[in-house]
């Protein structure tokens, strides 16, 4: 019987050591994931943003020449950069997991699947919008009707000059 107790104690000690090693690997993974940052830059280089491993924006830098663009273009490019950065999270998370806890770990697979669900692939890049704007000078090919003339202003009735000597409007010769 003493051998059975000794074997059980060794098995329990190995199990405890295995749990401690696994906990240390998970702790290492958590620390590395916390330190992850992803920086993405716009195609024209005017916008650069950084996110953390949780996908939350930590900084946005917009270069001065961006003020020449329409705000809708700038905000759209910020969102595209953000989506591209967030879409990289699952890949980086999988890399950290493979290096720390391994890819066969069930918890790792659940975490990776959740990251893919929360941070899907970025939409396909659209070609840059054309900035071509047509300006015309000169006579139009399609003549437009001239605008209607302004409405005439109503005329005020003429005032009679006041005459201090004439009180009744009658003749003064009578």
């Amino acid at each position: 019987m003493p051998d059975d107790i000794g074997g059980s104690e060794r098995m329990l000690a190995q199990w405890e050591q295995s749990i401690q090693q696994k906990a240390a690997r998970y702790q290492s993974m958590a620390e590395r994931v916390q330190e992850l940052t992803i920086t993405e830059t716009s195609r024209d280089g005017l916008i650069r943003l950084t996110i953390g491993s949780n996908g939350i924006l930590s900084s946005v830098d917009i270069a001065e020449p961006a003020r020449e663009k329409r705000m809708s273009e700038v905000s759209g490019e910020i969102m595209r950069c953000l989506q591209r950065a967030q879409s990289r999270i699952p890949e980086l998370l999988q890399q950290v997991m493979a290096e720390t806890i391994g890819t066969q770990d069930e918890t790792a697979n659940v975490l990776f699947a959740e990251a893919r669900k929360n941070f899907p692939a970025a939409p396909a890049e659209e070609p840059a919008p054309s900035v071509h704007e047509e300006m015309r000078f000169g006579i139009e090919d399609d003549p437009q009707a001239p605008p209607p003339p302004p409405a005439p202003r109503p005329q005020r009735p003429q005032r009679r000059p006041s005459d201090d000597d004439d009180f009744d409007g009658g003749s003064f010769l009578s």
Side-chain angles (χ1 to χ4, degrees), residues 52-68:
S53 61
N54 55 4
I56 296 176
L57 194 60
S58 59
S59 73
V60 177
D61 297 313
I62 302 173
E64 278 298 315
R67 69 186 153 142
E68 302 298 324

Side-chain angles (χ1 to χ4, degrees), residues 113-155:
E114 190 68 21
R116 275 198 328 232
K117 183 177 89 178
N118 291 331
F119 305 109
E125 285 291 321
E126 297 174 8
S130 174
V131 186
H132 176 72
E133 290 185 27
E134 188 173 309
M135 298 178 85
R136 295 183 191 207
F137 297 97
I139 300 174
E140 291 283 328
D141 290 338
D142 299 333
Q144 295 178 349
R153 296 176 75 190
Q155 293 184 350

Side-chain angles (χ1 to χ4, degrees), residues 27-66:
Q27 183 63 37
S28 174
M29 180 196 72
E31 288 169 359
R32 286 186 57 191
V33 167
Q34 280 297 109
E35 294 170 355
L36 280 178
T37 60
I38 300 167
T39 300
E40 190 67 42
T41 304
S42 63
R43 289 180 284 192
D44 58 9
L46 297 178
I47 299 166
R48 190 176 82 200
L49 58 82
T50 302
I51 63 169
S53 61
N54 55 4
I56 296 176
L57 194 60
S58 59
S59 73
V60 177
D61 297 313
I62 302 173
E64 278 298 315

